[in-house]
Amino acid sequence: MDSAPTIFAGMAFVLFAGALLVWTAVRVRHREPVAQDVSPVASATLAGLAAVAALVLGVWCLARP
């Protein structure tokens, strides 16, 4: 029973990371700003790093025994 919260947290992180990666990629592809009043390169990079970090955290949660 202890694995249910871990699975929920892992799936939440993975879904958030996937949505953030897709959203960032679409914004960059259409040459639209990822964040308002921030450098486009810096905001896309920071959003990408946050998405990758959330994805790694989600996979780690799901891989725990």
Side-chain angles (χ1 to χ4, degrees):
M1 272 307 208
D2 289 337
S3 65
T6 305
I7 292 170
F8 177 78
M11 288 305 297
F13 278 118
V14 168
L15 288 174
F16 170 75
L20 184 58
L21 279 173
V22 168
W23 180 81
T24 302
V26 168
R27 299 292 286 186
V28 168
R29 184 174 177 148
H30 291 180
R31 298 191 192 278
E32 296 175 352
V34 176
Q36 194 171 14
D37 297 332
V38 180
S39 167
V41 174
S43 61
T45 302
L46 186 61
L49 288 174
V52 169
L55 186 62
V56 168
L57 186 59
V59 169
W60 177 76
C61 284
L62 293 172
R64 288 182 56 197

